[in-house]
Amino acid sequence: MARSLVTTGASDPVRVLRGLEAALAGGPALLPVAEGAPALPTPAPVSVPQRVALVVETSGSTGTGKRVALSADALLAGAAAADQALGGAGSWVLALPTHYIAGLNVLTRSIVAGTTPAVVAPGHFTATAFADAADRLEVGPAAPRRYTSLVPVQLARVLDDPRATAALARFDAVLVGGQATPAPLRERARSAGVRMVTTYGASETSGGCVYDGVAFGTVQTRLVDGELWLHGPMLAEGYVGDDARTAATFVVRDGLRWYRTGDAATVTDEVLRVLGRLDDVIISGGEKVPLGLVERHVRELPGQDTAVVTRRTSATWGEVPVVVTPVPIDLQQVRDHVERALGRAARPAEVVVADPLPMLSTGKPDRRAIRALVDG
């Protein structure tokens, strides 16, 4: 059996909220889209399998576009487990776009809690707009806790503003994900009294399912040849109209269905640490260099919270890391810092200043545009 798929513009979060409510209750499946964004190469179908309640389009910062199909069961299981991990149901401030899974997660959790999220004013994110939304947030006895979800660049902007920082410190939990959060930014938040929870997940896992390195609920993690696999009730059905990609990404092992994340990870003392994309490793002078790790160490330097490390072809070394940042920094300082942590092969070859840094609407760096900037 099939159900119809309704496409809704994500510029109106209330409309997306109502569409998601209907989809979770068995009505038409929902596909939120960003108006004006480049369309995927193939048009969306008019219907999807009956189990599918939500379709999330994602092109990511690398790779080809895809439509992730999520069931109501997966979305609700993720929301329930997250509430349990956070200490109970709460009221949410929505600061993220509703065509991405993190924003849709805020809506799903609000629906489950029976609350209406306070929405940050649309357009360019500002600390003032966030503080205004926090002031409008209504908290009741059924959902007494205060929650919000941000990406690191949003957190940094809030912490630059005293009023917004004071508002953020009133929240019971501030989820921060979408990309690695630099250690200096985490320390700034904690020093300001912000109860930050770092999250890891994807559209394929109904959003964040690992909090502060620990999988919540019945989620299981597994490392296979260095790649992180995830299992749990929150997994997507697969990819709409792409059976081959679904079969390659969602696999059955030992009677369990797993999502192959494509991320490299380690587990130490039962705490998961994601190192970056497996395909984001270069060979420089015959040595493997994980660009995600290089980027993590560069972001430890003063003013480099949003720096991005990409690759560039080198006639001498094969490929080399290149730092792209909106804040100028001395190349030798960067090279020395990275070498101490990761060795000579990981030293960046150049610092490219780009202000503003190319960004996606989610607040993540637009890595394809950044790579093109370096190659150009």
Side-chain angles (χ1 to χ4, degrees), residues 70-128:
L70 293 159
S71 69
D73 288 346
L75 291 164
L76 295 174
D83 280 349
Q84 184 177 14
L86 293 173
S91 299
W92 289 80
V93 166
L94 174 66
L96 298 168
T98 56
H99 58 287
Y100 284 99
I101 191 61
L104 289 162
N105 250 334
V106 170
L107 298 185
T108 301
R109 294 168 186 181
S110 298
I111 292 169
V112 170
T115 62
T116 299
V119 180
V120 174
H124 181 70
F125 177 88
T126 67
T128 297

Side-chain angles (χ1 to χ4, degrees), residues 7 9-11 32-41 57-60 67 97 99-100 359-362 366 368:
T7 300
S11 61
V33 296
E35 297 94 330
L40 295 188
E57 287 188 348
T58 173
S59 59
R67 293 186 177 98
H99 58 287
Y100 284 99
M359 303 292 285
L360 299 170
S361 61
T362 54
D366 186 338
R368 281 182 289 182

Side-chain angles (χ1 to χ4, degrees), residues 169-250:
R170 297 197 301 268
F171 282 72
D172 294 277
V174 177
L175 308 187
V176 182
Q179 63 193 89
T181 306
L185 183 59
R186 296 198 302 269
E187 183 55 37
R188 281 184 66 198
R190 287 169 182 147
S191 296
V194 175
R195 289 173 282 278
M196 189 181 75
V197 177
T198 58
T199 71
Y200 172 80
S203 298
E204 289 86 345
T205 62
S206 301
C209 60
V210 177
Y211 284 179
D212 288 333
V214 179
F216 60 51
T218 58
V219 176
Q220 296 181 35
T221 62
R222 183 177 188 176
L223 294 181
V224 180
D225 296 328
E227 180 185 22
L228 174 61
W229 291 15
L230 296 170
H231 162 75
M234 73 301 169
L235 291 189
E237 299 293 294
Y239 302 106
V240 176
D242 197 336
D243 292 342
R245 176 179 263 177
T246 298
T249 305
F250 296 90

Side-chain angles (χ1 to χ4, degrees), residues 17 33 60 63 73 107 116 129 151 161 182 184 191 196-197 207 225 240 261 264 267 275-276 302 331 336 338 350-351:
L17 175 65
V33 296
D73 288 346
L107 298 185
T116 299
V151 294
D161 181 277
S191 296
M196 189 181 75
V197 177
D225 296 328
V240 176
T261 67
V267 177
L275 305 178
L331 174 61
D336 290 345
V338 171
E350 186 180 356
V351 170

